[in-house]
Amino acid sequence: MSKWPRTFNFKGKDLPYNRIEYNNPSERAVEVPIGFEFLAVLPKSARVLEVGNVLYYYENSLSHHLGVISRKIVDKFEIELGVDNEDLMLLSSEEKYDGIVCISTVEHIGQGVKPLGTYGEVAEERDLEAPLKAIAKIYDLLAVGGTALITVPFGTLTDGEWYIQFSGQYLSLLRKYGIPKEAVVTNFLKLLDRDQTKDSVKMLWTEVDIFEVSNAEYNYPFATANAIAVIELSKLSNDFHLNLNVEPTPLYYHMPYETRIELSQYKAQLHQIQDEQAQLQLQLHQTQRDLEQSHVLLHQAESGLAQSQTQLHQTEGELEQSQTQLHQTQEELEQSQTQLHQTQEELEQSQTQLHQTQEELEQSHSQLHQTQEELEQSHSQLHQTQEELEQSHSQLHQNEEELEQSHSQLHQTQGLLAQSQLELHQTEGELEQSQLELHQTEGELEQAQAQLHQTEGELEQSQAQLHQTEGELEQSQLELHQTEGELEQSQLELHQTEGELEQAQAQLHQTEGELEQSQAQLHQTEGELEQSQAQLHQTEGELEQAQAQLHQTEGELEQSQAQLHQTEGELEQSRSQLHQTEGELEQSQAQRHQTQGELERLKVPQAFHTQADVQSPTQYRLLLWEGWYAYHKGDLKGTAHFLKESLNCTPLSPTETVLNWLETFSQFSAEKGVHLDTNSLINSAEWKELMRRSLNGKLSVAVR
């Protein structure tokens, strides 16, 4: 047998796959042949209605071969020749039809517009049970003895916004719209495999029972429906009265498979982004603390530099005082020299005056030595000032390294933030509000980063100026050391000869000029340093302002995250309440079914009444719970025992009871958050033995 057969089996008959290249990679591959087979067996005189313009696109190739008769086609939206643009729900109930066919249409009635906008209508309020009401309307339009064929996607009950995927529980609601149970026959087809190429139809569909398609998903693993239900209606009598004013049943509608997957991915991304944001905030706070610490150290360095400058000014004043005394000594020495030249011939006569002059000279030497001691003391203070200045420079370099480290951390933080921004852009509608706030935060952070970069540039400029000042100060210190050496040399020469003293004085004047020049340069450097410090203070103020804005933005972001967490909590609470309401509703439905069963049993002879007629639905529900709990614990024998006991008190027919077992097990599993493997359960030896012994006995009683 070929993997890709050209036919499929439906109700014991082989039908050819639809091979017309129009929308056939979907469930149309089997729906179209089933629809044409239904029309082909109708009498030629039958009045036929098609709801939804579907078969029109295929009948040019198949209708004559299959003998398809003419029919009335109604479609609310499609404008085609021979198609009446009428609303099914507004058709007159007075006009009856012998046959009605509807291919994949009723699941869209009363729902929204398809995402691509190809069909559907915008409604102020969707009716999740509108597809059931459409089926009730089709049943109402049938003449007595007439039949209808309806196909719908089947599996997990799903609200796809523009369609409803039916489930067994959803399909059972047809009874509350007055359609008799015996008027409905449903068969199921499941898609097993499909080739993704579009050159030809390569699909494998097979007819299965309801249990094998109860968990089928729309759009997974293949595109569009992965299972369909073929609903056949038979009009039994004219006793049916259409009543659409029925309270809706609060069932749990799953989101589409792809939506659930995307939502779980978005939640995971959101948690990852929140973790990264928290990490970024911690790193940013650490950077801010490091920056504040560097500011404190920088202020300390500035204070030490100002103190050293004060000591330097004091030393300069003492040096000027010693220079004044030296000039005075030089003038007195010149006067004594002049007198000495004038009184050389009267040397003997002026010896007394010479002794007096020598005493004055010794006094001037004493003053000169005192001046030298004061100068050495000023040098010592100057060296101490230089050491303090070097220490402040060392602290400043250390602060610069810490600041560079904080900048590196800030750049790393920016990289992580950019990555989180890319992930946030992938989040859809549920995160749009937080994305807007995050974009605002990014803008403010980029502004703060730009200001920080500007601050770094200005700080580097001030550091360069400070290095230049240090160089000039070192140069002036070298010149000062050179001046001290020359001054000592001049003092020695002054003691030796008067001529050498004059030469030393000339050199001293030259040194004084150079010292004044270095002092002028030093004052200029101090002015530039004060200007750079003022700029640095201004930059620090701007940075603090940016940090305050960033803290405010972080607070707003944390508030939005708290609101988002609160919303998620409320959503989970509402879901829990909905599950509780569903359980209560199912209990009330079970009680209603029991009441209906008791009313039906009143119509048959008393001899057919069994002990099950007086059993409580609470006992039936309790036995199902015990059976599910045994299955959850792996005790399949216990499961079969409790299910067999439940047959004695079920308010349903045998087939409905089996279907109710699986639906109830699925509900209990969903409430407990565990997975129900339906295939494993129904294929187990215990289940098959239960079906063979217990259910057959129950069926024989029902047939009698």
Side-chain angles (χ1 to χ4, degrees):
M1 178 180 176
S2 173
K3 181 182 179 183
W4 304 110
R6 301 177 65 87
T7 62
F8 66 97
N9 187 274
F10 181 69
K11 296 174 63 176
K13 185 175 182 180
D14 287 336
L15 298 178
Y17 282 104
N18 168 33
R19 306 182 65 81
I20 298 175
E21 294 184 1
Y22 178 82
N23 201 23
N24 61 3
S26 67
E27 56 271 24
R28 297 289 189 274
V30 291
E31 287 178 325
V32 171
I34 293 174
F36 280 131
E37 176 69 15
F38 171 79
L39 294 177
V41 299
L42 292 174
K44 299 298 182 182
S45 60
R47 299 184 70 249
V48 182
L49 172 68
E50 181 178 0
V51 178
N53 184 30
V54 176
L55 298 178
Y56 165 83
Y57 296 103
Y58 308 93
E59 67 176 310
N60 287 339
S61 299
L62 294 177
S63 59
H64 298 296
H65 174 70
L66 297 175
V68 176
I69 62 177
S70 62
R71 63 199 180 279
K72 178 180 179 179
I73 304 174
V74 295
D75 193 302
K76 187 176 180 180
F77 301 107
E78 287 196 22
I79 301 176
E80 292 288 349
L81 184 64
V83 178
D84 296 337
N85 297 125
E86 299 182 59
D87 190 340
L88 166 67
M89 308 306 294
L90 299 180
L91 293 180
S92 173
S93 297
E94 302 298 325
E95 189 172 1
K96 305 297 182 180
Y97 298 89
D98 301 309
I100 301 176
V101 61
C102 179
I103 304 297
S104 286
T105 298
V106 296
E107 68 266 22
H108 303 294
I109 294 178
Q111 309 311 307
V113 180
K114 189 176 182 180
L116 297 178
T118 51
Y119 56 81
E121 61 181 338
V122 179
E124 294 182 359
E125 184 177 358
R126 295 171 55 231
D127 184 357
L128 296 179
E129 292 190 9
L132 298 174
K133 296 176 181 178
I135 295 177
K137 178 65 176 180
I138 290 175
Y139 186 78
D140 180 57
L141 293 174
L142 285 174
V144 176
T147 57
L149 183 137
I150 304 167
T151 65
V152 294
F154 192 86
T156 301
L157 181 58
T158 303
D159 177 9
E161 299 292 340
W162 57 281
Y163 69 91
I164 297 294
Q165 176 167 282
F166 282 46
S167 70
Q169 188 180 18
Y170 185 79
L171 196 58
S172 66
L173 298 181
L174 285 175
R175 276 187 253 172
K176 76 176 184 179
Y177 290 98
I179 301 178
K181 172 187 173 183
E182 56 272 18
V184 182
V185 176
T186 309
N187 295 280
F188 305 94
L189 287 161
K190 183 178 182 180
L191 177 59
L192 301 181
D193 198 3
R194 190 183 83 178
D195 194 349
Q196 297 298 324
T197 63
K198 297 182 180 180
D199 296 336
S200 61
V201 178
K202 294 182 179 179
M203 308 182 76
L204 185 60
W205 287 81
T206 184
E207 188 174 8
V208 296
D209 57 29
I210 188 173
F211 309 120
E212 296 186 54
V213 294
S214 59
N215 292 325
E217 297 277 4
Y218 195 89
N219 274 336
Y220 178 81
F222 305 105
T224 66
N226 283 255
I228 64 170
V230 182
I231 306 169
E232 296 182 71
L233 305 177
S234 300
K235 191 65 171 289
L236 302 179
S237 67
N238 284 324
D239 294 336
F240 176 79
H241 299 287
L242 181 64
N243 179 20
L244 302 180
N245 189 20
V246 179
E247 289 294 325
T249 301
L251 301 179
Y252 178 73
Y253 294 81
H254 292 269
M255 293 183 292
Y257 175 81
E258 59 272 18
T259 304
R260 298 201 304 271
I261 297 301
E262 291 177 359
L263 184 60
S264 63
Q265 292 175 350
Y266 291 152
K267 288 182 178 179
Q269 291 176 356
L270 179 60
H271 286 300
Q272 182 180 0
I273 290 169
Q274 291 172 349
D275 293 340
E276 292 177 353
Q277 286 178 345
Q279 185 177 2
L280 292 176
Q281 290 172 356
L282 291 175
Q283 293 177 352
L284 187 59
H285 284 302
Q286 180 66 30
T287 302
Q288 291 172 351
R289 287 194 294 269
D290 294 341
L291 189 58
E292 290 174 356
Q293 185 177 2
S294 65
H295 289 164
V296 172
L297 294 175
L298 185 60
H299 283 299
Q300 292 178 353
E302 292 172 353
S303 176
L305 183 60
Q307 184 177 0
S308 64
Q309 290 173 351
T310 302
Q311 293 176 353
L312 184 60
H313 284 298
Q314 182 179 357
T315 302
E316 291 173 353
E318 294 174 352
L319 182 60
E320 290 178 356
Q321 183 178 1
S322 64
Q323 289 174 353
T324 302
Q325 293 176 354
L326 184 60
H327 281 298
Q328 182 179 0
T329 303
Q330 290 173 354
E331 292 175 354
E332 293 176 352
L333 183 59
E334 290 175 356
Q335 182 179 2
S336 63
Q337 288 174 353
T338 302
Q339 292 176 356
L340 183 60
H341 284 295
Q342 292 178 355
T343 57
Q344 285 179 355
E345 295 179 356
E346 301 175 353
L347 182 57
E348 294 177 358
Q349 184 179 357
S350 61
Q351 286 179 351
T352 303
Q353 294 177 356
L354 182 58
H355 284 295
Q356 183 179 357
T357 301
Q358 289 175 352
E359 290 175 357
E360 292 175 357
L361 183 58
E362 288 175 358
Q363 184 178 1
S364 68
H365 288 166
S366 176
Q367 293 176 352
L368 182 59
H369 283 296
Q370 182 179 0
T371 301
Q372 291 174 352
E373 290 175 355
E374 293 175 353
L375 183 59
E376 288 176 357
Q377 184 178 1
S378 66
H379 289 166
S380 176
Q381 293 176 352
L382 182 59
H383 282 298
Q384 182 180 0
T385 302
Q386 292 172 354
E387 289 176 356
E388 293 176 354
L389 183 60
E390 289 176 357
Q391 184 178 1
S392 66
H393 290 166
S394 175
Q395 292 177 352
L396 183 60
H397 283 298
Q398 182 180 358
N399 294 340
E400 291 172 357
E401 291 175 355
E402 292 176 354
L403 185 59
E404 288 176 357
Q405 183 178 2
S406 66
H407 291 166
S408 176
Q409 293 176 352
L410 185 59
H411 283 299
Q412 182 180 1
T413 302
Q414 293 170 357
L416 294 173
L417 183 59
Q419 182 179 358
S420 66
Q421 291 170 356
L422 291 176
E423 293 174 350
L424 275 176
H425 282 299
Q426 298 174 357
T427 308
E428 294 184 349
E430 297 178 358
L431 303 177
E432 289 179 357
Q433 182 177 359
S434 62
Q435 286 175 341
L436 292 175
E437 295 175 351
L438 185 58
H439 283 303
Q440 181 179 0
T441 303
E442 292 169 0
E444 295 174 351
L445 183 58
E446 289 177 357
Q447 183 179 2
Q449 290 171 351
Q451 293 176 353
L452 184 59
H453 283 299
Q454 182 180 358
T455 302
E456 292 172 358
E458 294 174 351
L459 183 60
E460 290 175 357
Q461 184 178 1
S462 64
Q463 290 172 352
Q465 294 175 353
L466 184 60
H467 284 300
Q468 182 179 358
T469 303
E470 292 172 356
E472 294 173 351
L473 184 60
E474 289 176 357
Q475 183 178 359
S476 65
Q477 291 172 353
L478 290 175
E479 292 175 352
L480 185 59
H481 284 298
Q482 181 180 0
T483 302
E484 293 172 356
E486 294 174 352
L487 182 60
E488 291 175 357
Q489 184 179 1
S490 64
Q491 290 172 354
L492 292 174
E493 292 175 352
L494 180 61
H495 286 294
Q496 293 176 358
T497 60
E498 297 173 352
E500 292 175 354
L501 181 59
E502 290 177 355
Q503 183 179 0
Q505 291 171 353
Q507 292 176 352
L508 184 59
H509 282 297
Q510 181 181 357
T511 302
E512 290 172 355
E514 293 174 352
L515 183 60
E516 289 176 357
Q517 183 179 0
S518 67
Q519 291 173 350
Q521 292 176 353
L522 183 59
H523 284 298
Q524 181 180 358
T525 302
E526 292 172 352
E528 293 174 353
L529 182 59
E530 290 176 356
Q531 183 178 1
S532 67
Q533 290 173 350
Q535 292 176 353
L536 182 60
H537 284 299
Q538 180 181 358
T539 303
E540 290 172 352
E542 294 174 353
L543 181 60
E544 290 176 355
Q545 183 179 2
Q547 290 172 349
Q549 294 175 353
L550 184 59
H551 281 299
Q552 180 180 0
T553 304
E554 290 172 352
E556 294 173 354
L557 181 59
E558 291 176 354
Q559 183 178 2
S560 67
Q561 291 173 350
Q563 292 175 353
L564 182 59
H565 284 298
Q566 181 180 0
T567 303
E568 291 176 351
E570 293 173 355
L571 180 60
E572 291 177 357
Q573 184 178 2
S574 65
R575 287 176 178 171
S576 176
Q577 294 174 353
L578 180 59
H579 282 300
Q580 182 179 359
T581 304
E582 289 175 355
E584 295 173 355
L585 182 61
E586 287 179 358
Q587 184 176 358
S588 66
Q589 288 176 348
Q591 294 174 353
R592 182 168 61 85
H593 283 305
Q594 182 193 5
T595 304
Q596 291 176 352
E598 292 175 354
L599 290 175
E600 291 176 358
R601 284 193 294 273
L602 290 174
K603 298 178 182 178
V604 300
Q606 185 67 25
F608 291 98
H609 286 191
T610 64
Q611 186 64 26
D613 295 329
V614 296
Q615 291 295 329
S616 169
T618 303
Q619 180 67 19
Y620 171 73
R621 184 74 172 179
L622 182 59
L623 288 171
L624 291 190
W625 167 256
E626 294 290 345
W628 177 87
Y629 187 75
Y631 166 76
H632 179 58
K633 295 298 183 180
D635 183 10
L636 293 179
K637 291 184 178 180
T639 301
H641 169 73
F642 288 117
L643 293 181
K644 184 177 178 181
E645 290 293 326
S646 71
L647 289 171
N648 297 325
C649 56
T650 176
L652 306 174
S653 67
T655 304
E656 290 175 332
T657 299
V658 174
L659 179 60
N660 183 256
W661 286 351
L662 294 175
E663 290 179 350
T664 305
F665 272 35
S666 177
Q667 178 186 357
F668 288 158
S669 299
E671 291 175 354
K672 297 300 181 181
V674 297
H675 173 66
L676 174 64
D677 190 350
T678 307
N679 292 331
S680 175
L681 176 60
I682 64 178
N683 289 325
S684 64
E686 290 81 2
W687 179 275
K688 292 179 179 179
E689 181 69 15
L690 175 65
M691 296 294 103
R692 187 176 66 83
R693 293 187 176 181
S694 303
L695 190 55
N696 287 342
K698 189 70 175 180
L699 286 172
S700 63
V701 173
V703 171
R704 291 199 302 271

